[in-house]
Structures are given as structure tokens and as C-alpha cells.
Amino acid sequence: MLETRPDASALLSSVFGFDGFRPGQADIVDAVAAGRNVLAIMPTGGGKSLCFQLPAIMRDGVTVVISPLIALMRDQVRGLREAGVEAGALTSGNTPEETDAVWQALEERRLKLLYIAPERLASSGTERMLNRAGVSLIAVDEAHCVSQWGHDFRPDYLKIGALRRTLGVPLAAFTATADAETRDEIVARLFDGAAPEVFLRGFDRPNLSLAFEVKNQPRSQILSYAAARRGQSGIVYCGTRAKTETLARALCDDGHSACAYHGGMEADDRRHVEHRFATEDGLIVVATVAFGMGVDKPDIRWVAQADLPKSIEAYYQEIGRAGRDGAPADTLTLYGPDDIRFRRSQIDEGLAPPERKAADHARLNALLGLAEAISCRRQKLLGYFGETAEPCGNCDLCARAPETFDASTAVQKALSAILRTGEWFGAGHLIDVLTGTGTDKVIDRGHDRLPTFGVGTEFDRKGWQAVFRQMMGHDLVRPDPARHGALRLTEAARPILRGEAGITLRKDTLARGGRRPAAKALVSEEDAPLLSALKAKRRALAETARVPAYVIFTDRTLIEMAETKPQSLDEMARISGVGATKLERYGAAFLEIVTGEAEAPSHPARRKLAGREAGVLYDRLLSVQADLARGDSGLDKPLSCSSSQLAKLADLRPTDRETVEKLLGERRADRFAEAFLDVLRAAG
Ligand code: ADP
Ligand code: ZN
């Protein structure tokens, strides 16, 4: 018999329902499917999982997937099964029945993907089992967990190299961490130093909007950002545990559904938050970096960083958790001089060897350069990852070019103030000297007699603060922990001090930037009711199947449905994210929503209204109802009105709450009356 390897793009569309590969995916899939050793560095949300799932389906035997987080594994297994692929997981979270079923499927050689928690590798039973199971490939997710210097280090990951040797099969490692040191560590530990084929590309995430703001009442900055995105799932990253709790409370007080998450919480509480985040629509999690690798939710619509992350990689990884489904998502990063000091001292006071510290400072510098950028942020970000790009049109600087000025003289004055005071002072005191403010401290030290005293009249305090912050951002000066954070010059400052190089700084970063434009709508106003009806359907199906909504379809898929309005199952099948299995399972249900076909016949009450204005009104009430099926917050008990109740409303068009309440009863009126009245009154 002729053996043909199933074609990758055919499987891509029939199993996963995608009509094309994302950048970089096709080459990686080819290499992995061909059995070569691979290290792929892809951005979060770039579509890593597909790069081992698809080859696993293509290859004979079972692919072992090692992944650090149980929740993530269970999610992927669920997603694969929904797509009709035999997959199972062995984790400590399994029930004995689940474990038995996995063993059984392995025995019968049915399984295509077996997910294993790293701690399982320690048991000799696992190795024996894998030896018998016909393993043909090892895939390692979050491969940077082998790096001892990262905060995600997992000692059990060190056993993977031995497993690869024992099984004698190819290994494909995946990570979003781009820096060279981590890459070298991965090669050394997972591949015994034998260079794998490396893929490093596709770092652009054009659907993410990028923005930075200087801190200025940071709490209200975050609150107004969240307010513009009410009802959408988001993450707020904070530098400290305490802040996650105060900020979560502030968001709740502001009417959001929000909760805190950090490493100091009990494991059970953390799991509870992870579960809520995965299953609820519109929850905001306020978290430290501990909320990270397990976040596999593809429809996170925004990420805000309330404090500056430690490096450009950390920045990229955190914002990258938004918009994995490819639909538009927003990101905002707040920063200020305190953040810079904090991140510098964190590096200086850490235990890493000196080369490592220098590298960490450089990675922080790259992020600060991005924060203080004066043109397209994406260009700069991609430049760091070695890619070139045109201005993106989807960052704050593309939206509004910042005002800049030649700051060479101002910076020279500041540098000379630092030198003349012996590099022993922080920005506050230096600004006193520059602006000629005779504080006690200035007079005690005789700094009012320095030639630099009072030479900086061109700016007020705020202006000078902006200059000092940007000087730190450009790494011209660094706080010295041995001198209580006093600013000292770096080598980069010398040419400017000597007048051999100039420097341009931003003028406007401290100006209050009016009201921020509201978040972009996901679909046009016209398609919005259909999108919410589709979402309501998804929610109902997800509840029945007891899975997170996105396991049924992601936002992006629903958006495409709302926009293209497929009229048949054939057209439905062309939508990205609708694979064969999902088409069979859910296609008809969603098609009904789009075409409205099955609806009329199934509700005699609506049929009676057909062709009348009341029919249109009925449909509007129905879609408003779908939006509110779980209340304003999206978290209440599902509630809906009967078709005949809606028909009566559409027919009688009451415009006062009392009549509505009489028709619906108090409980339904509480939830729907206000929204219904808006519709009815507008119909006049
Ligand atoms: P990560 O690289 O962060 O692990 P995932 O593998 O979870 O990202 O993929 C992110 C999202 O992108 C998922 O919802 C996945 O279904 C989707 N995706 C992956 N590849 C494609 C593709 N070729 N076309 C459309 N969507 C894709
Ligand atoms: Zn841009």
C-alpha cells in the first residue's frame, strides 16, 4: 500500500479550521514533522501549540508534550478533543478514571498526543511506560523553564535531556523568550549542546496596540483605561503583591468584576482565580508576574502594566497575552523614575554573576528605550528582535507624534550638576540646584555657590523631572545602590557632556493628554447585535459542555461570522476557526443565529409578527436580552423571557416600567426592563 504523509495545510483546515499558517508556522511544522530537532522562538500568541500538534497528527505514534502547567495542558487536551484529535494528559490533577482512560488509549495506540507534567518525569514508571508506548516525538512547551536564571525555572525540566536520549526520538522545544543566554541554556540542556534547527521570527503581533504613559496618578490612569473597556477580559500587571489587592478593590468599587492574583496566595485560591478567568466573560485579573504561563485564554482584550516590567522580554511576554485569537487588543504600560530605580536596584542586588547583571541592565535599557521612544514603538520593538518594519499605525506614537526638542544643553547642565556634587545625590536635590532653590540641604552643602546653581531656569521642576527620567531611560545616568540611589554617570553620558554628541528628548510626556479615545469596537455598529447573539449562543453551549467559552469558538471566529454572515454550512466552514469537527458539532446552531432561519418557525409567537414592525422590535428585544442573559456583569444566573412575553412587549410597546413589570414579573423586569424600555421608547 502506498503510504502518504497527510498534507499539513489540508489538516490545518480540516482539523483546526484555519485557512493559512501564521508567519513562521509552516516552516516549523515542516521541520518538526520531518523529525528534525527544533528550537522555535515564537512570540506569545504566535501559535506555538499548532507547531507540535499538527506534526503530532501527521506522524505515526504518539507525541509526548511536556508543559509546566496543568491548567494549560487540560485546556489544550480539551481543545484537541473538541477538534476530534485523540489526546490525553497525565497530571496530578487527574482523577483515577481519567488516568485509566489515558493508559488504555496508550495501550491501544490510539493516542496522538500525551501531555505530561514535568514532575512525572521523575518516576521510573513513566519512563518504562513511554518506552513501550511508541513515542515518536517529544515536544517541550515553555522550554525556557530549563534556565536557572529565569523566574520560571523548573528543576524537573533538567530531566528532559535524559528522556530524549533514552527514547532516541527528535525533540522540538518552544519558548517565547528571545534572549541569547536563555537560548544557549536550552540548547545545552535539552539537546546536549548539539545545535537544533533554530527558528526565530514572526515577532510582530499587529493586532496589539502599544502605548506607554508616564505615571501621573497611576490609579486613575488604570481605572480610566479599564472603564473604556468595560465588560472585556483584561489583565493588570503590578510590581507588588499589595498593589494587586488595592487595585483589584478599586476596580471592583468602580463596578468591574475584578480579582487579585499573586504568588503569596494559597494554591487553592490561585486555582480558583485561574478557573474564573478561563470561564467567565469580562473578568479583570490584577496580578504579579506569577499570573503568567498558565494564561491560555485567547480572548483577552487588553493588558495594562501598572508598573514597568523588568526587561523588554518580560514586557513583550506580558502584553503578548492579549489578543491571541488575532482580534484587536490593547496594551498600556505605565512607568516613572521610581520604576527605573526599582528595576535597576533589583538587578544590582540580585545574586546573578556580573556578566548576567550587565545583560539584565541591557535588557532593561531596551525597554526604557522603548518607553522613551520618539517614533513608532513597534518598529523599535521589532528592531530589538532583529526585524525591520514600517511605522505600524497601531501605537500611541503613530497615532500622535510626540513633540521633541534638542536637549543637548539641558542634559549637559544636568550632568554637570551631578559631577559637581560628587555623584552623591538623587534627582530631587539636583533639580533644587539647577532651578536655584535654596533648600537647607543645598545651603548646608554649599551647593548654592556652585556655578551650576540656578542655571536651569528654562524648565520648572516637572520639566526637569522629565529630563532626568529620560536621562535614566537613555542610560546616561544610573542610580547607585551603594550610594542610596545617587545618580552616577555612565560611559554613554561622556560624549554628550563633552559636546561631541547631541540628544533629542520628548517634550510632551508630562502634558496631560486629555481624554483617551475609547477602545475600538470589535465590529461595526450594524453587526454588533449579531455578534452579541452569537456570543450568547456560545455562552449557552459552553455552559452545557462545561468548558470555557473560547473552547467552542474564539472571539475572532465569532467576529468573522458576524461580519461575513455565512448563509450555509459550506460558507460556515470557510470561517477561520471552524474545523470539520466543530462544524459538525456547532455549525448548525450558529448558522441558525446568523440566518435567523430556524428561529421563526420555532417560535410561533414570533411568526405571528412576521412582516410587521413588531417583528423587527421583537428581534431587537431578543438581542438585547441575549446581551443581558447573565446580567450587566455577565456573571449572574442565566435568565430569559418567554417568546410570548417578548411578542407582547413588541406588540403593546409599553414605555413605562410599571407595565413592563406587569408583563414580565419583577425578577425579569429587574434585569431587562431598563434595556427593553430603551428599545421600545426609541421605536416611539
Ligand atoms: P502560543 O504561541 O502563545 O502558545 P497558541 O498556540 O495558544 O499561542 O495560539 C494562540 C491562538 O492562535 C490560539 O487561539 C490558536 O487557535 C490560534 N492560531 C494558531 N495558529 C493559527 C492559524 N494558523 N490561524 C488562525 N489561528 C491560529
Ligand atoms: Zn507605530
Side-chain angles (χ1 to χ4, degrees), residues 12 16-23 25 42-53 72 76 141-142 174-176 205 295-299 320-321 323-326 550 554 556-557 576-577 582:
L12 180 70
F16 296 94
F18 300 142
D19 34 55
F21 284 109
R22 293 227 181 118
Q25 279 181 330
M42 290 179 93
T44 313
K48 264 178 297 160
S49 3
L50 192 90
C51 296
F52 56 81
Q53 290 173 348
L72 187 139
Q76 292 206 358
D141 203 0
E142 314 288 356
F174 297 86
T175 178
R205 299 277 312 280
V295 189
D296 204 21
K297 190 178 165 69
D299 51 359
R321 300 204 165 101
R324 285 192 192 199
D325 55 5
Y550 61 80
T554 65
R556 189 187 185 175
T557 299
S576 174
K582 286 195 184 177

Side-chain angles (χ1 to χ4, degrees), residues 236-303:
V236 181
Y237 280 107
C238 299
T240 64
R241 292 173 177 181
K243 193 159 169 183
T244 63
E245 301 195 343
T246 54
L247 207 47
R249 223 170 296 129
L251 283 161
C252 288
D253 290 346
D254 213 18
H256 297 277
S257 111
C259 53
Y261 184 104
H262 56 74
M265 285 163 46
E266 298 288 336
D268 275 350
D269 296 339
R270 273 183 305 179
R271 258 197 300 280
H272 180 64
V273 175
E274 284 163 9
H275 179 74
R276 279 188 61 191
F277 191 60
T279 47
E280 286 176 19
D281 270 349
L283 182 69
I284 301 172
V285 174
V286 188
T288 59
V289 286
F291 193 61
M293 287 188 309
V295 189
D296 204 21
K297 190 178 165 69
D299 51 359
I300 299 169
R301 294 271 70 88
W302 58 276
V303 167

Side-chain angles (χ1 to χ4, degrees), residues 250-419:
L251 283 161
C252 288
D253 290 346
D254 213 18
H256 297 277
S257 111
C259 53
Y261 184 104
H262 56 74
M265 285 163 46
E266 298 288 336
D268 275 350
D269 296 339
R270 273 183 305 179
R271 258 197 300 280
H272 180 64
V273 175
E274 284 163 9
H275 179 74
R276 279 188 61 191
F277 191 60
T279 47
E280 286 176 19
D281 270 349
L283 182 69
I284 301 172
V285 174
V286 188
T288 59
V289 286
F291 193 61
M293 287 188 309
V295 189
D296 204 21
K297 190 178 165 69
D299 51 359
I300 299 169
R301 294 271 70 88
W302 58 276
V303 167
Q305 293 167 326
D307 298 299
L308 187 80
K310 68 169 185 180
S311 69
I312 196 159
E313 282 83 3
Y315 163 79
Y316 192 66
Q317 194 143 38
E318 286 174 15
I319 63 159
R321 300 204 165 101
R324 285 192 192 199
D325 55 5
D330 294 327
T331 75
L332 171 71
T333 306
L334 300 185
Y335 70 107
D338 290 340
D339 289 282
I340 305 179
R341 267 192 289 277
F342 171 70
R343 291 302 182 191
R344 289 258 183 252
S345 62
Q346 215 179 17
I347 298 170
D348 287 328
E349 288 156 20
L351 298 171
E355 329 77 79
R356 182 79 202 181
K357 285 185 181 178
D360 286 345
H361 278 297
R363 302 194 304 169
L364 174 58
N365 285 347
L367 179 58
L368 292 172
L370 189 62
E372 303 292 7
I374 55 182
S375 62
C376 180
R377 294 200 199 273
R378 195 176 315 265
Q379 257 181 337
K380 196 143 185 141
L381 176 66
L382 293 176
Y384 177 79
F385 294 126
E387 294 178 30
T388 49
E390 294 297 304
C392 73
N394 194 19
C395 73
D396 54 344
L397 298 180
C398 279
R400 212 180 71 182
E403 258 185 275
T404 59
F405 68 105
D406 179 349
S408 311
T409 319
V411 169
Q412 274 175 344
K413 288 179 188 171
L415 293 173
S416 111
I418 294 173
L419 284 180

Side-chain angles (χ1 to χ4, degrees), residues 478-517:
R478 275 194 199 180
D480 181 348
R483 295 186 175 190
H484 307 291
L487 293 176
R488 306 190 67 178
L489 270 59
T490 64
E491 278 313 304
R494 307 282 165 191
I496 297 175
L497 191 64
R498 292 194 295 258
E500 293 160 11
I503 183 163
T504 302
L505 294 182
R506 314 175 41 151
K507 218 188 242 174
D508 63 352
T509 41
L510 284 179
R512 283 310 295 139
R515 277 213 54 82
R516 210 163 293 112

